[in-house]
Amino acid sequence: DAISGLGLLLGGDDNAIYLNADVLPGPGMRHAEARVNGDDFLETCLSGEVGRECAYSLGWSVDPRALGPYTPNDVSEMRSLMNRHSLIERSKGVVLAVNARVLSKDPSAFDDILDEMTGVQLLVWTGSGEPPVSGGIIDGIVKHFRGRGAEERIGFDCQIAPTYLSGLWNDTLVTLASIHWAIKNSWH
């Protein structure tokens, strides 16, 4: 019922409502279920005509302290979910929401999906409780996707540290917290 009510808000071709959910477990959260079941979310949203007038922002439940990156398997699972629901064809677009710190560890995991699915973009974010990232992290992500000719398909919603030193400090603290968190969780 909530989805059908969105039709009143869509006034023309230039308008899009983004429906957002973390639909798969990702780095640092692989032990847990996704916050929202991806198949149920997309099935519900796409069940009526209004869902086809929406764009979708799909992400992974992650912990920015994760030592590991997004993997090709993470991206493959998301691609399979989108393909099962013909999401590119049945929507106004798809944005994959990815955490900046986790993405910076290996942005190449997203190369194939950006090459093969032209209707997909990335939104790189930092969480509300996460310290601002260094400009170096953002620069590394931009450099990678610029080199692939995909820079225009990458957007940012990040808190960036105001100085080089504060960014370096934040990144170092998160790395130390990551190591502590990994050691603590390996004993349980």
Side-chain angles (χ1 to χ4, degrees), residues 86-97:
S86 303
L87 189 58
I88 298 293
E89 299 80 15
R90 296 173 66 195
S91 71
K92 284 198 168 188
V94 177
V95 172
L96 299 180

Side-chain angles (χ1 to χ4, degrees), residues 116-140:
E116 297 165 12
M117 300 181 92
T118 57
V120 171
Q121 300 177 23
L122 296 184
L123 175 63
V124 183
W125 56 268
T126 53
S128 58
E130 184 180 352
V133 296
S134 66
I137 283 181
I138 301 302
D139 291 345

Side-chain angles (χ1 to χ4, degrees), residues 67-95:
L67 290 174
Y70 291 100
T71 65
N73 188 58
D74 292 328
V75 178
S76 177
E77 287 180 16
M78 186 67 77
R79 180 193 333 240
S80 294
L81 175 67
M82 293 188 307
N83 286 340
R84 279 195 305 275
H85 296 276
S86 303
L87 189 58
I88 298 293
E89 299 80 15
R90 296 173 66 195
S91 71
K92 284 198 168 188
V94 177
V95 172

Side-chain angles (χ1 to χ4, degrees), residues 10-186:
L10 296 170
D13 289 340
D14 292 339
N15 295 326
I17 292 176
Y18 280 84
L19 302 178
N20 173 279
D22 290 340
V23 296
L24 293 171
M29 298 296 288
R30 296 192 202 290
H31 62 280
E33 292 289 320
R35 291 188 175 109
V36 175
N37 179 287
D39 286 304
D40 291 346
F41 175 74
L42 292 176
E43 191 173 306
T44 300
C45 293
L46 292 167
S47 64
E49 286 302 313
V50 173
R52 296 168 190 245
E53 296 299 317
C54 294
Y56 291 82
S57 172
L58 304 177
W60 292 260
S61 298
V62 300
D63 189 318
R65 298 172 297 177
L67 290 174
Y70 291 100
T71 65
N73 188 58
D74 292 328
V75 178
S76 177
E77 287 180 16
M78 186 67 77
R79 180 193 333 240
S80 294
L81 175 67
M82 293 188 307
N83 286 340
R84 279 195 305 275
H85 296 276
S86 303
L87 189 58
I88 298 293
E89 299 80 15
R90 296 173 66 195
S91 71
K92 284 198 168 188
V94 177
V95 172
L96 299 180
V98 292
N99 179 271
R101 282 191 170 87
V102 178
L103 178 66
S104 71
K105 294 171 182 152
D106 185 8
S108 69
F110 291 89
D111 291 349
D112 288 344
I113 198 167
L114 290 173
D115 289 345
E116 297 165 12
M117 300 181 92
T118 57
V120 171
Q121 300 177 23
L122 296 184
L123 175 63
V124 183
W125 56 268
T126 53
S128 58
E130 184 180 352
V133 296
S134 66
I137 283 181
I138 301 302
D139 291 345
I141 293 168
V142 169
K143 181 180 178 182
H144 174 81
F145 290 110
R146 182 181 295 140
R148 306 259 327 144
E151 180 182 10
E152 74 284 351
R153 293 174 55 202
I154 312 302
F156 291 89
D157 182 11
C158 295
Q159 298 175 52
I160 301 173
T163 67
Y164 173 80
L165 285 178
S166 65
L168 182 62
W169 176 254
N170 290 343
D171 294 346
T172 301
L173 287 178
V174 171
T175 300
L176 291 173
S178 299
I179 293 167
H180 177 265
W181 181 72
I183 292 169
K184 179 181 162 190
N185 286 331
S186 69

